[in-house]
């Protein structure tokens, strides 16, 4: 098994490139669809206060999709290689790039605590240049298990801290996670995205996603930010006949990386009405403003 040597600079380099480019109920509920925007509807200029954030969130959504692809393929690969977590409560997975290439080769690892140390229990390498979600290069159980790298340990600690963050409320659902080392304006932190998932065919979890920002010390919580008002689902959005994913319960003034991730994961445009009444469209072109809505004056006044 080839154990790649990954520097913190390489990990942060991915989010540097991204920046350069660019509390819910306990049960799921169906979200009222937003009024569908016709593709030919006139696009409006994005207000100045949202220009930078929408550009960055679109880029981050793409990175979350990449990390989720790697986690999906990596988990299946190491399980097929015989890995079985002895204690799921002390085992987490992390994803790291091996270069500054946003679409290059990534390392997936299960990190477990043993003998008072964090160790790499299983590992896979995924080539995300390949078509689809990527291609598994190698995968296996580490025996003996080496000690986790500095960045592996920090991301594992940041995830554990995020899971225990004050005020964090998960929906009654399964969650996947993405841990991103994030660097902006010379300040580094960890952004932990908890993404509500569903194993029911045809059901798309449009709500329930949460962002927890953790300081660079990997333990101090900076912010817990629900990315939707409720644990909403769209029971028909994944139907081949559905042309878009539409919902109205966004708890933000502009779309986040979680909605971009939905567009990329399900390969359908997303139309969402934010809390300020704006109608946004998200597709391969980016985040677009389609209608400022009836609450325009009120939103600018606030």
């Amino acid at each position: 098994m080839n154990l790649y040597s990954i520097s913190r600079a390489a990990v942060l380099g991915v989010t540097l490139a991204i920046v350069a480019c660019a509390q819910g109920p306990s049960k799921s509920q169906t979200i009222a669809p937003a009024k569908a925007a016709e593709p030919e509807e006139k696009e409006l200029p994005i207000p100045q206060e949202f220009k930078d954030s929408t550009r960055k969130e679109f880029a981050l959504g793409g990175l979350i999709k990449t990390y989720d692809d790697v986690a999906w393929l990596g988990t299946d690969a190491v399980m097929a290689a015989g890995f079985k977590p002895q204690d799921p409560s002390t085992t987490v997975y992390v994803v790291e790039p091996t270069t500054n290439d946003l679409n290059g080769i990534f390392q997936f690892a299960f990190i477990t605590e043993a003998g008072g140390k964090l160790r790499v229990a299983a590992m896979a390498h995924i080539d995300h240049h390949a078509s689809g979600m990527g291609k598994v290069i190698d995968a296996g159980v580490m025996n003996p298990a080496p000690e986790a790298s500095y960045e592996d340990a920090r991301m594992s600690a940041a995830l554990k801290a995020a899971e225990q963050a004050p005020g964090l409320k998960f929906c009654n659902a399964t969650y996947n996670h993405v841990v991103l080392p994030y660097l902006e304006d010379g300040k580094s932190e960890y952004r932990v995205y908890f993404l509500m998932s569903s194993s029911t065919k045809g059901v798309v979890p449009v709500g329930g996603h949460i962002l927890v920002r953790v300081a660079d010390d990997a333990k101090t919580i900076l912010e817990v930010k629900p990315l939707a008002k409720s644990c909403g689902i769209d029971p028909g959005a994944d139907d081949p006949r559905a042309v878009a994913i539409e919902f109205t319960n966004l708890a933000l003034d502009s779309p986040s990386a979680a909605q971009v991730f939905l567009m990329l994961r399900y390969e359908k445009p997303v139309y969402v009405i934010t809390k300020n009444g704006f109608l946004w469209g998200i597709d391969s072109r980016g985040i677009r403003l389609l209608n400022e809505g009836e609450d325009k004056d009120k939103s600018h006044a606030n």
Side-chain angles (χ1 to χ4, degrees):
M1 172 64 61
N2 181 18
L3 183 61
Y4 282 51
S5 176
I6 301 176
S7 70
R8 181 167 174 78
V11 177
L12 289 174
V14 171
T15 46
L16 258 178
I18 284 292
V19 172
C21 297
Q23 311 297 340
S26 61
K27 294 184 179 179
S28 296
Q29 65 186 66
T30 301
I31 294 302
K35 180 182 178 182
E38 298 296 331
E40 66 271 18
E41 187 169 351
K42 184 177 179 181
E43 184 176 338
L44 301 178
I46 293 177
Q48 187 63 39
E49 63 264 37
F50 300 132
K51 280 186 176 180
D52 191 49
S53 63
T54 51
R55 176 176 56 86
K56 290 177 182 176
E57 292 299 316
F58 186 79
L60 280 168
L63 190 57
I64 291 171
K65 166 65 163 51
T66 295
Y67 273 54
D68 190 64
D69 286 348
V70 172
W72 193 331
L73 292 176
T75 298
D76 287 348
V78 299
M79 293 295 186
F83 177 67
K84 294 181 180 179
Q86 294 183 350
D87 184 356
S89 67
T90 60
T91 303
V92 300
Y93 64 82
V94 294
V95 171
E96 296 180 78
T98 64
T99 69
N100 287 341
D101 186 345
L102 295 179
N103 224 11
I105 295 174
F106 287 77
Q107 176 180 291
F108 169 87
F110 271 111
I111 309 299
T112 189
E113 188 174 345
K117 293 184 177 181
L118 292 178
R119 297 189 177 277
V120 180
M123 181 183 293
H125 294 101
I126 310 298
D127 182 358
H128 206 260
H129 280 119
S131 60
M133 294 172 61
K135 179 180 70 175
V136 177
I137 299 173
D138 55 40
V141 179
M142 307 300 287
N143 189 14
E147 191 170 346
S149 69
Y150 173 83
E151 196 57 39
D152 282 336
R154 298 278 284 202
M155 289 198 295
S156 299
L159 173 61
K160 288 291 186 182
E163 290 175 334
Q164 303 300 320
L168 180 65
K169 293 183 180 180
F170 287 121
C171 299
N172 184 20
T174 301
Y175 274 83
N176 299 322
H177 67 260
V178 170
V179 182
L180 296 179
Y182 190 85
L183 180 63
E184 187 173 11
D185 297 330
K187 297 180 180 179
S188 58
E189 63 182 65
Y190 293 93
R191 294 199 170 187
V192 182
Y193 289 87
F194 293 107
L195 305 169
M196 193 172 100
S197 64
S198 172
S199 59
T200 303
K201 186 175 177 59
V203 171
V204 174
V206 298
H209 312 302
I210 306 166
L211 166 62
V212 180
R213 295 174 53 224
V214 184
D216 190 51
D217 63 6
K219 60 184 180 181
T220 303
I221 303 301
L222 301 175
E223 182 183 21
V224 176
K225 188 174 184 179
L227 302 178
K229 290 180 181 177
S230 66
C231 306
I233 60 172
D234 187 333
D238 202 23
D239 189 308
R241 295 169 294 180
V243 297
I245 299 172
E246 308 165 356
F247 57 104
T248 61
N249 78 325
L250 199 62
L252 310 167
D253 285 328
S254 61
S256 75
Q259 288 76 53
V260 177
F261 167 76
L262 285 178
M263 180 273 293
L264 294 169
R265 171 58 69 217
Y266 294 99
E267 299 181 330
K268 288 185 173 76
V270 169
Y271 296 108
V272 57
I273 296 176
T274 46
K275 69 177 185 178
N276 52 14
F278 288 12
L279 172 63
W280 302 84
I282 308 170
D283 58 25
S284 60
R285 293 168 289 178
I287 297 175
R288 299 174 298 117
L289 179 61
L290 303 178
N291 194 314
E292 290 190 317
E294 296 179 358
D295 294 336
K296 173 185 174 182
D297 294 337
K298 180 179 178 181
S299 66
H300 284 300
N302 294 336

